[in-house]
Amino acid sequence: MPTYTGISSEAFRHPLDRQAEEALRNLPGFDLIARKFVEFVYERPQLVYLMGNTIQVGPRQYSTIYQMFRECVRDLDVYPEPALFVEQNPQANSYALGQENPYIVINTGILDLLEPSEIRAVLAHELGHIKCGHTILIQMAMWAMSAASALGELTLGIGNFVSQALIYAFFEWRRKAELTADRAALLVMDDLNTVMSSMMKVSGGSIKYAHECSLPEFVKQSESYHSLDDSGLNQVYKFLLYNGAQGMMLSHPFPGERLRYLQDWFVSEHYQQIRAGNYQRSPASGSVDVTAENSSQEAEILRQQIEELQEQINKMKKSD
């Protein structure tokens, strides 16, 4: 497997990822969300949960997976080494989160469904998110939605700033960030078919009928998906599907779309140059700066607002 010593995340970052993040950061309310996120969200509770409720991968726990993981960490020049956990969950899924203490969670559904090389591609994909500093923005997106919908503007003071446009921008960026992470997987694997087959199996693979699944047919299906864009109405349908037409906004592009982007990059001069060792160096420290200015003062104001709200709630209870 190739190793990209000293590679910067900017060397392989997808331009659509970069553009979507810039658009997101320029929207009104983003800076406030960033500051509130720093004040109220802590990584430790999730790490405590993972330590108590999953298996942490190491030399004596899932040693084969751990060896794969360490090789991917080396190949993408990720430092320090993130923690890796296996969660008992039949859904074929994985994710990366955390800023000061980044970590990856991979479900048993992935381990049971995929071949070792495909598992390696999944690990490299998640490491790509960490390498690019995606994890903090992903957490911000999750927190902003839950805070705005469940707690409301009076409790966190963000309700007026979390516009529908900002939520759309968060999800648009999340989908484009997946294209960058796919590139990280391809760089580590240097095998397009393996990366695409992992996507196919996660989309609808079956352990029992794996021998009846065909990657070439899945690629043809992707081509048919893209041909739908010939109709303007179908493009509208795609937009609606991505943005909540079925009850929820989608955080990932359709695999049929991801395949096309990855195939195009695989045959590009950009990819070949990176493979030849001609890439931007100096590892990136993360693309998102959410340092809070005057956070203590704002936090004190916010605590006062919460106390006032609690007093009003107590009065309402007494009047009942």
Side-chain angles (χ1 to χ4, degrees):
M1 299 292 177
T3 296
Y4 303 93
T5 304
I7 191 170
S8 166
S9 60
E10 290 301 315
F12 59 89
R13 192 177 184 194
H14 199 288
L16 293 178
D17 173 6
R18 190 179 298 108
Q19 293 169 17
E21 181 182 328
E22 182 179 352
L24 169 63
R25 291 173 65 83
N26 287 332
L27 279 176
F30 176 85
D31 290 339
L32 178 63
I33 292 295
R35 293 196 299 271
K36 298 301 183 185
F37 175 83
V38 170
E39 293 170 15
F40 287 95
V41 177
Y42 303 93
E43 297 176 18
R44 184 58 56 182
Q46 180 65 10
L47 286 173
V48 170
Y49 168 82
L50 292 171
M51 290 293 292
N53 201 46
T54 67
I55 295 177
Q56 184 167 7
V57 176
R60 295 178 179 83
Q61 292 277 44
Y62 285 109
S63 58
T64 301
I65 304 300
Y66 184 60
Q67 182 62 29
M68 289 183 194
F69 180 62
R70 295 204 69 189
E71 291 171 356
C72 292
V73 169
R74 175 202 64 199
D75 295 343
L76 276 179
D77 198 21
V78 176
Y79 182 83
E81 179 181 302
L84 176 62
F85 299 91
V86 172
E87 184 168 18
Q88 182 61 251
N89 190 326
Q91 183 180 11
N93 191 29
S94 60
Y95 60 90
L97 290 174
Q99 182 185 22
E100 294 183 3
N101 301 287
Y103 58 87
I104 293 172
V105 178
I106 185 168
N107 290 351
T108 52
I110 287 283
L111 303 185
D112 294 338
L113 181 64
L114 303 187
E115 299 294 328
S117 60
E118 295 163 340
I119 295 173
R120 184 187 295 269
V122 170
L123 293 172
H125 174 99
E126 299 302 341
L127 283 169
H129 282 308
I130 292 174
K131 176 77 175 180
C132 295
H134 288 161
T135 51
I136 178 119
L137 260 185
I138 292 172
Q139 286 180 286
M140 283 175 57
M142 295 164 58
W143 178 78
M145 284 202 67
S146 61
S149 60
L151 301 179
E153 62 183 85
L154 289 178
T155 53
L156 290 180
I158 65 172
N160 290 334
F161 293 90
V162 185
S163 65
Q164 194 69 17
L166 189 59
I167 296 299
Y168 281 148
F170 264 121
F171 275 85
E172 179 66 13
W173 170 79
R174 288 189 66 181
R175 291 190 288 267
K176 296 303 186 288
E178 294 301 320
L179 305 180
T180 295
D182 288 343
R183 287 184 170 190
L186 181 57
L187 284 172
V188 170
M189 300 307 300
D190 196 29
D191 183 344
L192 179 62
N193 285 343
T194 297
V195 180
M196 293 195 301
S197 67
S198 67
M199 294 181 186
M200 177 184 72
K201 291 183 179 180
V202 170
S203 300
S206 162
I207 298 173
K208 183 177 180 179
Y209 295 101
H211 61 287
E212 296 184 5
C213 291
S214 166
L215 180 58
E217 288 300 313
F218 191 63
V219 172
K220 288 182 181 179
Q221 179 182 329
S222 171
E223 294 170 353
S224 297
Y225 168 82
H226 281 277
S227 68
L228 296 175
D229 285 344
D230 294 340
S231 165
L233 184 58
N234 285 335
Q235 293 184 43
V236 172
Y237 288 150
K238 286 183 181 182
F239 174 83
L240 293 174
L241 288 170
Y242 273 134
N243 292 289
Q246 293 185 317
M248 61 181 296
M249 299 180 71
L250 303 183
S251 61
H252 287 58
F254 295 135
E257 188 169 342
R258 293 165 66 183
L259 256 62
R260 172 63 66 85
Y261 282 114
L262 206 55
Q263 287 173 306
D264 290 345
W265 196 57
F266 181 69
V267 298
S268 70
E269 179 65 20
H270 184 200
Y271 175 73
Q272 298 304 323
Q273 285 296 318
I274 296 177
R275 284 288 295 110
N278 301 320
Y279 50 76
Q280 184 175 339
R281 297 172 187 270
S282 298
S285 59
S287 59
V288 181
D289 179 12
V290 292
T291 302
E293 297 181 359
N294 301 320
S295 59
S296 60
Q297 180 180 356
E298 292 186 5
E300 179 60 29
I301 294 174
L302 190 59
R303 280 191 288 270
Q304 293 177 3
Q305 292 176 343
I306 294 174
E307 290 177 0
E308 292 173 1
L309 176 64
Q310 189 61 55
E311 290 178 2
Q312 294 178 12
I313 293 174
N314 291 339
K315 290 179 180 179
M316 293 174 63
K317 289 181 178 178
K318 290 180 181 179
S319 63
D320 291 341

